[in-house]
Amino acid sequence: MKAMKLNKTVSSCLLRLLKPYSSSFHWTSTMAASAKTSEGMKTVDESDVGISCFISQLPGFRGILKQRYADFIVNEVDMDGNVVRLTSLDVSPEMDVKEEDKRRSSDDVPQSYASAIESFRSLCSASDAERMETLVNQVTSGAEDEISPVVLDPSSDKSKRTAIHNFVKEKFKFLVTDTVDGPDPSSKCIRVRVNSGNAGGKRSKKRKERGDKPFDSRGSEHWPADVGKFLKFHLYKENKDTQEALGLIGKMLGVQPKSFGFSGTKDKRSVSTQRVTVFKQQSSKLAALNKRLFGIKVGDFCLVKEGLLLGQLMGNRFTITLRGVVADSEETIKKSAESLGKDGFINYFGLQRFGSGSVPTHHVGAALLKGEWKEAVDMILDPREINEAREYYKETGDIDGTLRQLPRYLVAERAILQCLKKCPGNYLQALKGIPRTLRMMYVHSYQSYLWNNAASLRVQKYGTNQVVLGDLVSTKVDDAKRIVGSLNSEQKENSEEALDCDQLDDTAVVDLPGERSDLVKVVGIEDVEAGTYPTSDIVLPLPGSRVIYPSNDIAEIFHDLAKKDGISLTESIHGVKEFSITSMTGGYRRVFQKPIDFEWELLTYTDSNKPLAETDLDRITMEKPVDKVGSAEETESDSNQPESCETDLKDSEQTQLALKMALTLPSSCYATMAIRELLKTSTSVAYHKTLN
């Protein structure tokens, strides 16, 4: 942990800014309470979702989180531990792929497929081999217009058909296969046709089958085979969420949102940089969008072979500035910061996990687990943003009119109403109309609710500085990359039925995969006596079919809370797998987390609208942020001198104190929970609005 070094001048400035915080504690408590009813609505409080404990017993201090969105900077950390930054908006001419003529693309260049045809003969009849040879010769000769598909001889042997499908996919990349009915019910035929991209038109089977793919497979039809099919770029955005930003870019490019791959979403109220991939797009087309995009920039282009998938990140690097800091002494701030760096924080799921509407997402999740489809729909349609539209719908039943009033960013609400328009009263089908990762968020948030309560009980009963009999711990045999690799493998192999927490955002991927029982164990008496495991190894499960629970009394809270909500963690009361806790593998999450490469410093400022931290775009455009006070390495340069106390403190009410921090957290952690440990106050948006 790196801390600031203050010279005498700066220290004297800070002494004049520091105020007795204890006298204002009652005021902040009152503000926190009133925040729940501000703007005429109730918001989720930390205590509602099981967040109640701290690691340190130090007094907190006042600080405003996200007064400006630029006070919360997030840079993704890739799987190799590199911090992702936007460093260039330019694209070199050689970056663009030279697309080849459709008749002369690398897959269509005349070449000898004689050996492949001979190999094909071993899989099928002589007549099938002749049909395939004729088709291949037609394509490679350039006469691909009006080339009819060929249908191979019927076969009831599924393994043989599978072998043929795989052979054609590997050896004849310009062809595609599918299965059609044979002459009798017990047989099937393989149909082989030219892969022309648009062969089937709007109602083609290929278009229908795109639904569950991780990206939209459309793109240039003439892309050479010897270059990467995905364009990777760094997405920089200000005060926009990831889906919104990619939606705008996709609209400008004329591609669907599924064309893009990313490893996780980032906070909307922030400045963030992350990696994104897009299928078969030219870098020059994306770079040209920079002149038209507001609050969004793209750059650092390169071609890669594979698209990004959710969860493919090591974590995030945060640069957080707390403004309006009020503490009883400089020592309070120093001790709190040092404690956070040394001891860390309780790894709660933050309030973002449970939504910002009037109905928390875990309440919706509970309804889904109980099979109460209509109640779940009603709760999703309840948030304050759509009260007028919802009232209109209740009064008129006019779905089209309601949809016209709904903002497009309310994806779930719009999806539900569109489905109800087609299938009135079919609430389950309406719920399934919500994009998969979004609809699974509700069930995952209920798992998070149970986990938070269990973590609080663990801290209340056994403290934070010891491993006790019956605890669950991650074992020493694994390292970070092994865990990540095992998890990614599980996600690929079980993407449909083995649902993992959480595939929606960067803070949701579980630490350990549920199947790997060798990665966790129950602490025995010999482990306690030998002191084998530190507290940083303690984990708690996210309920699912393949997890184990602690063997002490902490396990009871999972089942007791679920039972109180009418939910069983061991049996499903309905047959809808994706909304069943028993069809989820579950996972494990570390109870305590320490920030990585933690740095902090105190700043003074007089203009609340002036940035106090440098963004990636600032570095590119050479715009210098506000001068710092008490930097770690002060120089004699005028540009690096602290602001003059004599000038700034003419009116002490106008000069304020800020705490700037930089820290890296794994992808499963919430930075707001680290801030909560520091301030000892609520992290709710409503509360911090009252501080403004």
Side-chain angles (χ1 to χ4, degrees), residues 334-381:
K334 180 181 178 181
K335 285 184 176 180
S336 296
E338 289 178 345
S339 173
L340 178 61
K342 177 177 175 288
D343 301 320
F345 58 95
I346 302 171
N347 196 21
Y348 288 121
F349 287 97
L351 289 177
Q352 307 98 298
R353 181 72 153 175
F354 305 96
S356 58
S358 56
V359 177
T361 53
H362 70 286
H363 287 182
V364 181
L368 294 175
L369 292 172
K370 291 185 285 187
E372 297 174 349
W373 315 129
K374 184 178 185 304
E375 184 176 344
V377 166
D378 289 342
M379 286 191 282
I380 293 172
L381 292 176

Side-chain angles (χ1 to χ4, degrees), residues 305-346:
K305 293 182 179 179
E306 300 290 339
L308 282 168
L309 298 175
L310 289 165
Q312 290 182 336
L313 76 166
M314 188 169 286
N316 296 283
R317 180 72 177 170
F318 297 91
T319 304
I320 302 171
T321 304
L322 299 174
R323 293 180 183 257
V325 170
V326 178
D328 52 14
S329 70
E330 177 189 329
E331 191 67 16
T332 296
I333 302 173
K334 180 181 178 181
K335 285 184 176 180
S336 296
E338 289 178 345
S339 173
L340 178 61
K342 177 177 175 288
D343 301 320
F345 58 95
I346 302 171

Side-chain angles (χ1 to χ4, degrees), residues 44 147 258 308 653:
V44 180
I147 297 178
K258 284 186 179 181
L308 282 168
E653 293 297 317

Side-chain angles (χ1 to χ4, degrees), residues 52 86 126 128 567:
S52 60
L86 185 71
D128 281 346
I567 296 169

Side-chain angles (χ1 to χ4, degrees), residues 89-99 231 282-285 287 301 303:
L89 302 176
D90 302 324
V91 56
S92 57
E94 57 268 22
M95 263 296 302
D96 272 349
V97 176
K98 294 181 180 179
E99 299 184 28
L231 177 66
Q282 299 284 10
S283 55
S284 58
K285 288 181 66 176
F301 305 99
L303 291 169

Side-chain angles (χ1 to χ4, degrees), residues 46-63:
E46 289 178 345
S47 60
D48 297 332
V49 292
I51 302 173
S52 60
C53 298
F54 299 98
I55 287 183
S56 83
Q57 302 302 312
L58 294 168
F61 56 91
R62 180 187 186 272

Side-chain angles (χ1 to χ4, degrees), residues 193-458:
R193 57 187 172 84
V194 177
N195 182 10
S196 57
N198 261 337
K202 290 184 177 180
R203 297 184 181 276
S204 69
K205 186 172 182 179
K206 182 178 179 182
R207 178 179 293 265
K208 293 177 183 177
E209 290 177 346
R210 278 200 301 269
D212 293 328
K213 291 185 179 179
F215 58 87
D216 187 336
S217 58
R218 287 175 293 180
S220 168
E221 297 176 17
H222 322 310
W223 202 267
D226 59 344
V227 298
K229 289 181 171 60
F230 293 87
L231 177 66
K232 186 178 79 171
F233 62 94
H234 292 176
L235 170 67
Y236 170 95
K237 59 183 182 63
E238 299 177 348
N239 204 29
K240 289 179 174 60
D241 62 39
T242 303
Q243 299 281 15
E244 178 186 1
L246 293 180
L248 289 170
I249 294 172
K251 187 175 182 180
M252 291 181 178
L253 290 176
V255 300
Q256 295 291 327
K258 284 186 179 181
S259 298
F260 299 99
F262 52 92
S263 56
T265 60
K266 309 301 176 190
D267 287 341
K268 176 179 180 179
R269 189 163 177 78
S270 69
V271 174
S272 68
T273 305
Q274 66 184 108
R275 299 159 300 148
V276 177
T277 55
V278 63
F279 189 67
K280 289 185 179 180
Q281 291 292 328
Q282 299 284 10
S283 55
S284 58
K285 288 181 66 176
L286 266 81
L289 300 182
N290 282 324
K291 296 179 180 179
R292 300 166 56 193
L293 292 166
F294 179 75
I296 302 171
K297 296 294 179 187
V298 292
D300 297 278
F301 305 99
C302 69
L303 291 169
V304 294
K305 293 182 179 179
E306 300 290 339
L308 282 168
L309 298 175
L310 289 165
Q312 290 182 336
L313 76 166
M314 188 169 286
N316 296 283
R317 180 72 177 170
F318 297 91
T319 304
I320 302 171
T321 304
L322 299 174
R323 293 180 183 257
V325 170
V326 178
D328 52 14
S329 70
E330 177 189 329
E331 191 67 16
T332 296
I333 302 173
K334 180 181 178 181
K335 285 184 176 180
S336 296
E338 289 178 345
S339 173
L340 178 61
K342 177 177 175 288
D343 301 320
F345 58 95
I346 302 171
N347 196 21
Y348 288 121
F349 287 97
L351 289 177
Q352 307 98 298
R353 181 72 153 175
F354 305 96
S356 58
S358 56
V359 177
T361 53
H362 70 286
H363 287 182
V364 181
L368 294 175
L369 292 172
K370 291 185 285 187
E372 297 174 349
W373 315 129
K374 184 178 185 304
E375 184 176 344
V377 166
D378 289 342
M379 286 191 282
I380 293 172
L381 292 176
D382 185 74
R384 66 187 183 282
E385 295 94 336
I386 58 171
N387 276 346
E388 292 182 6
R390 186 170 184 266
E391 288 301 320
Y392 175 80
Y393 174 63
K394 288 172 67 175
E395 292 174 3
T396 66
D398 177 12
I399 292 180
D400 289 330
T402 306
L403 287 169
R404 284 193 292 270
Q405 297 181 41
L406 278 178
R408 292 201 171 272
Y409 66 83
L410 294 175
V411 176
E413 290 85 346
R414 294 182 63 86
I416 284 175
L417 288 175
Q418 286 165 347
C419 286
L420 287 177
K421 179 182 177 182
K422 296 177 183 178
C423 306
N426 193 336
Y427 297 103
L428 174 59
Q429 192 61 37
L431 289 164
K432 288 187 175 182
I434 302 171
R436 181 180 176 80
T437 52
L438 184 55
R439 67 179 184 258
M440 292 315 303
M441 171 191 69
Y442 300 115
V443 178
H444 294 156
S445 68
Y446 187 77
Q447 291 173 302
S448 305
Y449 162 75
L450 296 180
W451 191 96
N452 277 359
N453 279 279
S456 290
L457 182 64
R458 167 61 180 77

